[in-house]
Amino acid sequence: MERLNGSFTITQLSNFTILFLLSCCSFTATEAYDALDPTGNITIKWDIMTWTPDGYVAVVTIYNFQQYRHIQAPGWSLGWTWAKKEVIWSMVGGQTTEQGDCSKFKGNIPHCCKKSPTVVDLLPGTPYNQQIANCCRGGVINSWGQDPANAVSSFQVSVGQAGTTNRTVKVPKNFTLMAPGPGYTCSPAKTGAPTKFMTGDKRRVTQAMMTWNVTCTYSQFLSQKTPTCCVSLSSFYNDTIVPCPTCACGCQNNITQPGTCVEAESPYLASALSAPGKSSNTPLVRCTSHMCPIRIHWHVKVNYKDYWRVKVTITNFNYRMNYTQWNLVVQHPNFDNLTESFSFNYKALTPYGGLNDTAMLWGIQFYNDLLMQAGPLGNVQSELLFRKDQLTFTFDKGWAFPRRIYFNGDNCVMPPPDAYPWLPNSSPRPVFSVLPIMTTLVSLAFLLVYP
């Protein structure tokens, strides 16, 4: 940067200031670290169970240690790059998406010969002789906080041309996890303490020959460039309904990007749903001002003497997807006094010890755990009853509205605080009258002119 007489020019300083502000604003809340789940991650364990004449048999297990972020259909896919010239002879509970070039093998043909294979889970209904424990759910893995019994997925792989001892075997590298799209970044595999296993009669403990660990963390920014949900607000004490912010998840642009949204009553809706993109993960949303696939509405419903009640409604605007095992994470200071959740399951999240201001909510099985695609049935709702804490409770200045909301682990766009519904005797911003000031100035001018 050039200097003029030992100092920066005004234009240069202005440009520098703009660049500084832009760089500061580029850091968003969508980084891999999640303040509401600071230790959440997906851990992959690669356990070598036995040695074979030219390699080994390993059980690969994917543990979802995230409290509220799960892997939904079409499920996970796991990739890596072999360190040497390994091949996969056979698999149980999973399969590679491609076999690769196995033309140099005669007779016994490997399951996969690719240098960088990609493995997917098998589908439900797979024959029992092709299954192992925790496999065959179509790649769907629930979150640890919601359903720990189904937060694990496994497959068995028989590897050849790999070395037959702890010294000659090599760790795979460049692990990638799609769940089902991008968003996860995986660490290099590290050798850890061998995993121990309890026998069925619980009288003997065995252990793996060797164990490698991989840790994958999630970033919403890597997963998608735009948000996927937004929040609207209303209350019984104010007629104003605060909608989702305009263009929260994108803007309507059917001219340059046709087919990004469709009107609810459009005669073209059926043809849009049967278009080639139907099977993809690309959402087809109802045309709205916010263009979000999911909207969460928080309505302050009733005020009692010792309690207050809120109604929460989740609406799906995506015509191409329904959400199984959905969940909602809400941050509000009164969750330490939640009395009843009428139609949702509830679990307190306390990542910081005794601070209980975050709740995880999800549907009741066989009742509302499935959020249907956009349409008359595309919503779920419940009411929450809170006990008032007389030291902190107030309806003033938007206190009754949530601080943060996540849907399926993604941070939703909130309205600006100055748009929240205010009490009738309050004002969202101070209003100053110019008339007294102008009267004073005119009087002073009059006195100066006519002393």
Side-chain angles (χ1 to χ4, degrees):
M1 185 178 291
E2 297 181 358
R3 295 173 179 264
L4 182 61
N5 296 328
S7 62
F8 296 110
T9 65
I10 294 176
T11 303
Q12 290 170 330
L13 285 173
S14 300
N15 293 336
F16 177 77
T17 303
I18 292 172
L19 289 173
F20 176 76
L21 291 174
L22 288 174
S23 64
C24 291
C25 295
S26 64
F27 296 96
T28 67
T30 55
E31 297 171 349
Y33 177 78
D34 187 347
L36 300 184
D37 189 14
T39 60
N41 66 75
I42 288 181
T43 297
I44 302 167
K45 279 187 172 292
W46 189 296
D47 295 310
I48 298 179
M49 307 302 292
T50 59
W51 300 109
T52 61
D54 71 335
Y56 59 85
V57 174
V59 173
V60 181
T61 307
I62 303 172
Y63 296 91
N64 184 9
F65 290 126
Q66 299 173 112
Q67 288 294 319
Y68 46 79
R69 188 173 291 111
H70 61 265
I71 300 176
Q72 59 189 12
W76 58 262
S77 59
L78 180 65
W80 64 83
T81 300
W82 293 117
K84 299 193 293 184
K85 296 182 179 180
E86 293 91 336
V87 296
I88 298 176
W89 284 114
S90 62
M91 294 190 69
V92 180
Q95 63 182 5
T96 60
T97 56
E98 296 183 53
Q99 183 184 33
D101 183 8
C102 297
S103 58
K104 69 177 183 179
F105 291 90
K106 308 296 181 182
N108 190 14
I109 306 299
H111 175 82
C112 179
C113 301
K114 287 182 68 69
K115 179 71 172 178
S116 299
T118 299
V119 174
V120 294
D121 194 14
L122 297 182
L123 298 174
T126 297
Y128 288 111
N129 62 349
Q130 299 176 26
Q131 295 187 27
I132 65 168
N134 299 314
C135 85
C136 311
R137 301 191 190 106
V140 174
I141 305 179
N142 288 342
S143 63
W144 194 262
Q146 188 171 349
D147 187 6
N150 292 308
V152 183
S153 185
S154 301
F155 62 87
Q156 178 180 293
V157 57
S158 178
V159 183
Q161 301 182 175
T164 57
T165 67
N166 290 17
R167 293 181 179 272
T168 57
V169 73
K170 297 296 182 182
V171 182
K173 54 188 179 180
N174 299 334
F175 278 84
T176 59
L177 177 65
M178 307 292 280
Y184 285 91
T185 302
C186 297
S187 70
K190 297 181 181 179
T191 302
T195 303
K196 295 183 178 181
F197 305 92
M198 182 74 70
T199 58
D201 59 7
K202 298 184 178 180
R203 301 178 65 187
R204 172 177 164 81
V205 176
T206 61
Q207 72 177 43
M209 304 294 177
M210 197 172 187
T211 296
W212 299 320
N213 297 316
V214 179
T215 301
C216 302
T217 54
Y218 178 82
S219 167
Q220 184 175 343
F221 180 76
L222 294 178
S223 178
Q224 60 269 323
K225 300 304 181 185
T226 58
T228 57
C229 55
C230 64
V231 179
S232 58
L233 308 170
S234 63
S235 66
F236 71 90
Y237 54 77
N238 193 315
D239 292 336
T240 301
I241 298 177
V242 180
C244 286
T246 303
C247 295
C249 302
C251 297
Q252 294 187 37
N253 193 0
N254 275 331
I255 298 176
T256 59
Q257 294 179 320
T260 54
C261 75
V262 61
E263 297 291 347
E265 306 299 330
S266 172
Y268 304 106
L269 177 58
S271 61
L273 290 175
S274 60
K278 177 182 178 182
S279 59
S280 71
N281 294 325
T282 304
L284 177 64
V285 300
R286 184 192 307 172
C287 293
T288 59
S289 61
H290 53 78
M291 291 294 288
C292 292
I294 295 293
R295 183 191 68 193
I296 296 95
H297 185 75
W298 180 279
H299 175 64
V300 181
K301 186 176 180 180
V302 184
N303 181 29
Y304 305 109
K305 179 180 178 182
D306 297 318
Y307 300 89
W308 61 293
R309 184 188 290 251
V310 169
K311 182 177 181 179
V312 179
T313 304
I314 307 171
T315 304
N316 186 3
F317 291 96
N318 189 351
Y319 287 103
R320 283 190 181 142
M321 180 179 291
N322 54 41
Y323 296 86
T324 58
Q325 298 294 323
W326 60 267
N327 64 61
L328 199 67
V329 174
V330 185
Q331 191 175 33
H332 190 282
N334 212 167
F335 270 114
D336 58 350
N337 281 324
L338 179 67
T339 302
E340 185 73 35
S341 175
F342 291 94
S343 302
F344 291 166
N345 289 309
Y346 160 77
K347 178 182 179 180
L349 298 180
T350 55
Y352 303 105
L355 183 61
N356 181 14
D357 67 346
T358 306
M360 177 177 170
L361 307 169
W362 69 96
I364 298 172
Q365 189 175 18
F366 306 126
Y367 176 59
N368 58 0
D369 60 337
L370 173 63
L371 176 58
M372 296 294 290
Q373 62 265 26
L377 301 178
N379 67 86
V380 292
Q381 56 190 7
S382 178
E383 295 190 3
L384 308 174
L385 185 66
F386 296 93
R387 177 185 290 273
K388 294 179 181 178
D389 183 344
Q390 299 303 329
L391 297 178
T392 59
F393 174 79
T394 179
F395 283 134
D396 195 19
K397 298 180 180 178
W399 183 89
F401 299 105
R403 310 309 187 251
R404 190 183 311 184
I405 290 184
Y406 287 19
F407 179 80
N408 278 358
D410 284 339
N411 198 359
C412 300
V413 179
M414 299 284 296
D418 62 351
Y420 285 16
W422 287 66
L423 288 170
N425 59 350
S426 300
S427 175
R429 59 185 63 84
V431 178
F432 299 99
S433 176
V434 182
L435 183 60
I437 300 175
M438 293 298 296
T439 303
T440 304
L441 292 175
V442 171
S443 301
L444 289 174
F446 181 82
L447 292 173
L448 289 173
V449 175
Y450 302 100

